[in-house]
Amino acid sequence: MVRESDKPLTYAAAGVDISAGNRAVELMKRAVRSTFTPGVLADIGGFGGLFALDAGRYRQPVLVAGTDGVGTKLKVAMLMDKHDTVGIDLVAMCVNDILVQGAQPLFFLDYLAVGKLVPEKVAAIVEGIAAGCRQAGCALIGGETAEMPGFYGPEEYDLAGFAVGVVDKERIIDGRSIRPGDVVVGLASSGLHSNGYSLARRALLDVAGYGVDSCLPELGCTVGEELLRPTVIYVPAILPLLQDGVVIKGMAHITGGGLTENIPRILPPGTAALLRPASWQVPPVFELIARIGRVAVEEMRRTFNMGIGFTLVVDAAEADGVLSRLVQSGVQAGIIGEIVEGDGAVLYK
């Protein structure tokens, strides 16, 4: 026998509050509009975002698209009940990826899925996304917030992002001109960025038993503050170099897989990268994870960025000028290795 509900069912009673969703949109409007650039043609709330490409600026414009998420770093945000920085990570993971091919980010879209829609929490998340878009110089032209009770817990949520940029076809950077003798320039990370958090959480929270509010002298902050440091957005440092015609032969965003697996993605046949780990400073958080978890050096290097969040390959004669420009832009950078003959691997010395 089929049993009927004692009372008429509503969407709200089933766990989806449309009114809360509308309030969230109102709370985020100012943040979203703060990212608008001249190419934006529609306000928030439409079925699709509209962006007018200034094709006259390019001989053969090529659109470059990237998508990513924040991963289990979100677990730390939930533990701390701090949600206004993970949006920066979301934007960073996408725009840094398309920057690798020389693209200028144009616009961004986000997807936010929550177990229970709390307008103020959603607004805080979107504030972070907007802050990341402002750093990257791209417009937040759309997104989706989905309330999914029964799929996520009441305090849980997930984030995904989508970035689109543009580069002139003849200026696409793909690494094919890299040759032995070129140098590898490393740009410092702010810490873990948004990779390796399953291992980091296992070591620091489970094995060591630290809480997110545990203050560690070697970190100079709490565990939670360290783990929530936003990913660096490298667009403001790199894009001016490209716009001024500085020849960068290859770039790599150091995410999952670390230096060990990301640099080979841009190396042409017959080359390898020889890196000198002593040439850069490894943030204390990595040493802490390695010690507590007894993690092997090789495992650390293929899981985390180890203090280098982005790399450039340039002609040795161009290195000093590139480093000077990077330092002027406020990014800590240095020569961390060179290109040698090899089979596409990253070697450490």
Side-chain angles (χ1 to χ4, degrees):
M1 180 178 178
V2 177
R3 180 176 178 272
E4 295 184 357
S5 175
D6 294 331
K7 297 179 180 180
L9 292 178
T10 64
Y11 210 8
V16 179
D17 191 338
I18 295 175
S19 296
N22 292 336
R23 174 165 166 71
V25 171
E26 288 301 316
L27 291 175
M28 69 177 73
K29 277 186 175 180
R30 177 182 294 183
V32 173
R33 288 169 177 159
S34 73
T35 71
F36 284 1
T37 60
V40 179
L41 299 182
D43 200 359
I44 183 174
F47 285 95
L50 300 177
F51 190 93
L53 174 66
D54 184 3
R57 294 179 54 190
Y58 308 92
R59 294 179 61 183
Q60 290 182 283
V62 174
L63 297 180
V64 184
T67 182
D68 211 333
V70 181
T72 61
K73 185 172 187 174
L74 294 177
K75 286 283 191 181
V76 182
M78 295 171 202
L79 286 171
M80 296 184 68
D81 195 23
K82 180 175 172 55
H83 311 282
D84 59 348
T85 61
V86 288
I88 298 174
D89 293 292
L90 182 67
V91 175
M93 297 302 289
C94 297
V95 298
N96 287 343
D97 273 358
I98 66 173
L99 177 65
V100 162
Q101 292 170 290
Q104 175 184 355
L106 295 175
F107 58 84
F108 191 86
L109 298 97
D110 69 271
Y111 175 80
L112 169 61
V114 302
K116 180 176 176 56
L117 199 156
V118 179
E120 290 74 17
K121 181 187 291 187
V122 170
I125 294 169
V126 175
E127 284 277 0
I129 296 172
C133 286
R134 291 193 296 269
Q135 287 185 41
C138 62
L140 177 56
I141 65 169
E144 170 70 9
T145 301
E147 191 169 17
M148 302 172 66
F151 194 88
Y152 295 99
E155 302 299 323
E156 294 179 331
Y157 62 92
D158 198 7
L159 276 172
F162 313 86
V164 174
V166 63
V167 61
D168 219 320
K169 186 175 182 179
E170 63 186 14
R171 303 184 71 176
I172 293 174
I173 299 173
D174 57 14
R176 71 177 63 188
S177 64
I178 293 174
R179 298 289 183 270
D182 292 337
V183 299
V184 181
V185 175
L187 281 66
S189 70
S190 59
L192 293 172
H193 281 185
S194 293
N195 294 103
Y197 272 77
S198 294
L199 177 54
R201 290 186 301 108
R202 176 66 63 87
L204 299 178
L205 304 183
D206 297 341
V207 176
Y210 294 131
V212 291
D213 57 351
S214 298
C215 190
L216 304 184
E218 56 264 65
L219 298 180
C221 62
T222 68
V223 170
E225 288 169 340
E226 179 65 41
L227 295 181
L228 272 193
R229 290 188 192 277
T231 305
V232 177
I233 293 175
Y234 294 101
V235 175
I238 302 300
L239 200 59
L241 297 177
L242 300 178
Q243 292 172 336
D244 289 347
V246 175
V247 178
I248 298 176
K249 296 186 175 185
M251 295 188 278
H253 182 201
I254 311 305
T255 56
L259 292 159
T260 300
E261 295 191 3
N262 282 292
I263 292 180
R265 296 167 67 180
I266 63 168
L267 296 177
T271 64
L274 177 61
L275 304 185
R276 295 181 170 80
S279 65
W280 75 86
Q281 185 174 3
V282 177
V285 66
F286 297 110
E287 298 170 350
L288 187 65
I289 292 168
R291 185 176 75 249
I292 291 171
R294 295 191 297 173
V295 186
V297 172
E298 295 78 10
E299 183 73 6
M300 291 293 295
R301 288 173 175 169
R302 69 189 299 267
T303 302
F304 301 107
N305 65 60
M306 300 304 292
I308 300 295
F310 203 87
T311 60
L312 315 176
V313 178
V314 300
D315 188 285
E318 300 283 344
D320 287 344
V322 169
L323 285 173
S324 177
R325 291 282 300 271
L326 290 173
V327 171
Q328 289 174 12
S329 71
V331 174
Q332 183 179 347
I335 295 175
I336 64 170
E338 62 264 3
I339 303 300
V340 297
E341 294 183 357
D343 60 359
V346 169
L347 311 171
Y348 296 92
K349 182 177 180 180

